[in-house]
Amino acid sequence: GVPVGEHERGPAAMTTTRRLVHCTLPPELVREPVLHGLVGASGAVVNIHRANVDIEAGVAWYLLELSGVVEEVDRAEGWLQEQGIKVDRIADQRTGTDQGG
């Protein structure tokens, strides 16, 4: 069987975060569905706080809040960087029972 209390240590025992990042896209990605790819690449929740996309000028940036389990938020941030997107971390607020990470 399951040890007493073990069933209560599900997702609530994981460290979660809300991370604000500023993303600057290279010109070749301005027309690409970057946010669609980001959502599919990780389990992080993606919330757009602000964005500027000028397809004609080839300029785009996003101010995104990535939230969820730290590992998934890290995966989302890493995926953005792998695409050639410049990612600047603005804030990172962690919650949960594991404050060590």
Side-chain angles (χ1 to χ4, degrees):
V2 176
V4 175
E6 189 69 27
H7 67 284
E8 298 170 356
R9 293 190 204 154
M14 293 184 205
T15 301
T16 59
T17 191
R18 291 174 58 188
R19 185 175 299 163
L20 195 61
V21 295
H22 185 275
C23 305
T24 306
L25 280 67
E28 61 271 15
L29 290 182
V30 171
R31 294 180 176 269
E32 300 301 317
V34 172
L35 296 177
H36 176 75
L38 173 60
V39 169
S42 80
V45 175
V46 179
N47 187 16
I48 304 167
H49 280 233
R50 188 168 291 184
N52 182 28
V53 178
D54 186 336
I55 292 175
E56 291 177 11
V59 174
W61 59 263
Y62 309 134
L63 183 60
L64 303 177
E65 179 184 86
L66 306 173
S67 60
V69 176
V70 171
E71 290 78 12
E72 292 300 322
V73 173
D74 288 343
R75 183 183 323 224
E77 189 174 336
W79 184 89
L80 288 165
Q81 293 168 339
E82 288 169 9
Q83 308 313 303
I85 297 167
K86 182 176 184 288
V87 179
D88 295 307
R89 196 178 293 186
I90 307 298
D92 195 1
Q93 180 180 22
R94 294 187 182 208
T95 58
T97 57
D98 175 18
Q99 296 292 324

